[in-house]
Amino acid sequence: MNEQELSRRLARVGSHVPQDARLADIGSDHAYLPVALMLKNKITFAVAGEVVRGPFQSAEKQVRKSGLTDRIVVRLADGLEAIEVNDEINAITIAGMGGTLIRSILESGKNNGRMNGTERLILQPNIGEKTLREWLAQNDYAIIEEEILEENKKTYEIIVAEKQKPTTYTEQELFFGPKLLEEKNEVFFQKWQRELTAKERVLSQLEKAEEKPLEKVEEIKMQLAWIKEVLA
């Protein structure tokens, strides 16, 4: 992967960035995404934020090599601390992290005034999608688009959200993804067939335990019922 040829996962994340956006890419690594979008004239300005010095230096090098130092700023910062008011950011991408970590980054950014509520959020959690959807719902972000895709035998979900009037989701919508639940494509079915097998295995182990964690057992039974209903 390089700035010219993104992975399918990152290319799909980039497809949800609005035309002429001012982008903050958090956890930017080599800054592949903002560089690729800038070279395609998809964005007009970008901040590439990285909390680890090694990847930060890699991002700086990539931006310099691409001749984009006047339009992409690379900052060593924790999460949304990379964003400054004068950046006028209107799109934020956070990809390749756990949902719990992305949720924590968004919560800190909200509390520290790094988000003004006008940004489109394009999020790609590797795991923990439900907890991320819960945060979005609790903070009045509507999920406007979702994607599920497979690459290199791994399944990825992309969640796109914008601040709107309060939106209520059912527990099943938070679990599966409201837009994914509407579409139910082939990758969706494959993921949940695997999850069904995995959760049945976990339930079997829990029920053999000397001290059954009753709350966890009930939670998994409920999730299994939802999955079977969706797969039916």
Side-chain angles (χ1 to χ4, degrees):
M1 184 175 73
N2 55 46
E3 75 281 7
Q4 301 285 354
E5 191 65 39
L6 294 176
S7 67
R8 182 160 177 254
R9 172 183 66 90
L10 272 186
R12 293 311 304 157
V13 169
S15 74
H16 295 285
V17 175
Q19 182 64 41
D20 298 327
R22 295 177 66 85
L23 173 70
D25 183 42
I26 305 304
S28 198
D29 198 4
H30 286 75
Y32 285 145
L33 180 60
V35 167
L37 294 178
M38 191 67 78
L39 291 174
K40 291 175 183 174
N41 294 314
K42 180 86 184 278
I43 58 176
T44 59
F45 171 81
V47 173
E50 183 53 67
V51 71
V52 180
R53 183 161 293 278
F56 162 75
Q57 291 170 335
S58 297
E60 277 194 318
K61 183 178 178 182
Q62 187 67 56
V63 171
R64 268 197 314 274
K65 187 181 93 170
S66 304
L68 294 171
T69 52
D70 58 331
R71 292 192 284 169
I72 299 177
V73 179
V74 184
R75 294 194 183 121
L76 185 64
D78 188 2
L80 298 184
E81 293 297 310
I83 297 174
E84 297 177 1
V85 174
N86 292 342
D87 297 331
E88 298 180 340
I89 296 300
N90 57 16
I92 295 172
T93 49
I94 310 177
M97 304 180 199
T100 301
L101 177 55
I102 296 175
R103 176 181 175 135
S104 173
I105 289 170
L106 293 173
E107 182 67 18
S108 294
K110 182 193 76 169
N111 293 339
N112 296 335
R114 302 291 167 156
M115 298 164 67
N116 59 31
T118 65
E119 307 91 347
R120 171 178 286 195
L121 305 180
I122 304 110
L123 313 170
Q124 184 269 298
N126 288 344
I127 57 171
E129 298 87 358
K130 181 174 183 283
T131 189
L132 189 50
R133 291 189 186 101
E134 287 170 343
W135 186 91
L136 293 169
Q138 290 161 8
N139 289 275
D140 296 339
Y141 281 88
I143 296 170
I144 59 170
E145 293 179 77
E146 288 181 301
E147 268 194 63
I148 185 168
L149 61 116
E150 189 171 295
E151 184 175 44
N152 298 328
K153 298 183 179 178
K154 290 185 180 178
T155 302
Y156 300 103
E157 293 184 14
I158 299 168
I159 303 169
V160 184
E162 291 181 355
K163 195 101 168 176
Q164 294 183 3
K165 60 186 179 183
T167 305
T168 303
Y169 296 106
T170 66
E171 282 298 309
Q172 289 96 322
E173 286 174 327
L174 293 171
F175 187 66
F176 294 106
K179 300 298 182 183
L180 299 180
L181 202 51
E182 287 175 10
E183 184 187 4
K184 292 184 187 173
N185 67 14
E186 185 180 345
V187 180
F188 177 90
F189 279 115
Q190 289 170 352
K191 170 184 174 170
W192 289 107
Q193 189 61 60
R194 290 193 300 269
E195 288 289 325
L196 177 68
T197 303
K199 286 185 182 294
E200 285 178 333
R201 192 181 304 122
V202 170
L203 181 62
S204 174
Q205 291 168 346
L206 290 176
E207 290 188 323
K208 289 174 186 172
E210 288 186 19
E211 291 186 22
K212 290 193 186 75
L214 295 178
E215 195 172 319
K216 186 67 178 174
V217 166
E218 289 308 309
E219 180 188 6
I220 292 177
K221 282 182 177 178
M222 181 175 64
Q223 291 173 352
L224 281 169
W226 292 344
I227 296 169
K228 287 174 182 175
E229 184 180 344
V230 160
L231 293 176

